[in-house]
Amino acid sequence: AGEGLATYWEGLAHNAPAFTIELKKLIGPFADVALIGGTLFGAGLLELALSIFIGFFLFLHGRRMTALTRQIAERVAGARARRLLSVVGVTVTGVVYGLIGTALAQGLLAGIGFWIAGVPQALLLGCLTFVLSFVPAGPPFVWGPVALWLFMQESVWWGIFVAIWGLLLVSSIDNFLRPYLLGKNTNLPVLLGLFGLIGGVLAFGLIGLFIGPTLLAVAHSLFREWIAAELEERRQPPSSSTERDQRSGPRQGV
């Protein structure tokens, strides 16, 4: 594509009216893209600042808010309130650690592989792998083009190394590390995790990468807890008073 672009640029450089016409065509779409990008960037900064502001008060009054939450939960859920709050806390912690921990491991492994293969900007590519690790099947969009670039540079063996490294380590560690970090109680099915990720991004934007899977994991854990409680109640034997009533039959009126 370079030769065609160079010819096109030389034609515009020697033709001022044509260059002006092409420039006017590009100004409108570029201005729209810049406006949309600036709006999204400003909204992201506002969300980040608001998160830090709310987090300050959560740390400042966390104990009082926790006690109030427990009282409200006991009024709503009764004796199982503390158990449900414990399930929610473990689920949220597991999802956050699972998402961030897995992404860090994949980014670190990808950066090490790129550095061994002598790929330029290995640190930057590792950070990009970390970002794309939050998206299902995201890391191959980094190490795949890198391996292809090495093949085009006639570094066939290094390209094969990067492809094998990315397939066996970077992409495969997600299947082992994420379930370990999430734990048994918060291990979401893959399809539900994908729905939580996509729905979170559509509903909340970039921060939905964390909110979506977390909310869905909490709902999934509470649903499983509700089913377990129902089965536990069914397995419990009837009380002694009920058994005596059933044995003695209907009581006679006085």
Side-chain angles (χ1 to χ4, degrees):
E3 184 177 356
L5 290 175
T7 304
Y8 175 74
W9 173 252
E10 288 179 0
L12 291 179
H14 295 86
N15 191 350
F19 178 77
T20 304
I21 293 174
E22 293 293 332
L23 186 61
K24 289 181 179 179
K25 292 180 180 179
L26 295 175
I27 287 177
F30 180 77
D32 295 338
V33 171
L35 181 60
I36 296 174
T39 303
L40 294 177
F41 182 74
L45 288 180
L46 181 61
E47 289 181 356
L48 180 61
L50 186 61
S51 301
I52 297 175
F53 180 73
I54 295 175
F56 167 75
F57 288 99
L58 289 178
F59 279 107
L60 185 62
H61 306 291
R63 296 183 182 275
R64 293 169 54 187
M65 295 179 65
T66 301
L68 180 61
T69 302
R70 287 177 178 174
Q71 293 177 1
I72 296 174
E74 290 176 356
R75 293 287 296 175
V76 175
R80 298 186 64 86
R82 292 185 177 272
R83 167 62 183 171
L84 295 177
L85 288 177
S86 176
V87 169
V88 171
V90 171
T91 302
V92 173
T93 304
V95 170
V96 173
Y97 285 173
L99 290 174
I100 298 180
T102 305
L104 282 175
Q106 289 181 310
L108 181 61
L109 287 175
I112 293 175
F114 298 150
W115 176 72
I116 293 175
V119 178
Q121 304 297 332
L123 179 61
L124 179 62
L125 292 173
C127 294
L128 183 59
T129 305
F130 166 76
V131 174
L132 291 180
S133 296
F134 295 102
V135 182
F141 287 100
V142 180
W143 59 259
V146 170
L148 182 61
W149 177 79
L150 288 173
F151 287 136
M152 295 178 64
Q153 298 294 321
E154 298 182 356
S155 300
V156 179
W157 291 110
W158 283 120
I160 295 175
F161 167 78
V162 170
I164 295 176
W165 182 279
L167 183 62
L168 297 182
L169 289 180
V170 179
S171 295
S172 298
I173 196 175
D174 182 29
N175 301 324
F176 304 98
L177 186 59
R178 191 186 299 268
Y180 173 77
L181 293 176
L182 290 178
K184 296 182 179 180
N185 294 330
T186 60
N187 191 11
L188 275 176
V190 177
L191 185 60
L192 286 181
L194 179 61
F195 285 164
L197 184 69
I198 297 175
V201 172
L202 292 177
F204 305 105
L206 184 61
I207 199 173
L209 288 172
F210 303 95
I211 297 179
T214 302
L215 292 179
L216 194 59
V218 169
H220 180 258
S221 299
L222 291 179
F223 183 74
R224 292 177 55 186
E225 186 70 18
W226 175 66
I227 294 178
E230 183 71 17
L231 294 176
E232 183 179 353
E233 291 179 358
R234 291 182 180 180
R235 292 173 182 175
Q236 288 181 354
S239 60
S240 57
S241 60
T242 306
E243 290 179 354
R244 287 195 302 266
D245 293 340
Q246 292 177 351
R247 292 175 183 176
S248 60
R251 296 181 179 179
Q252 300 293 332
V254 179

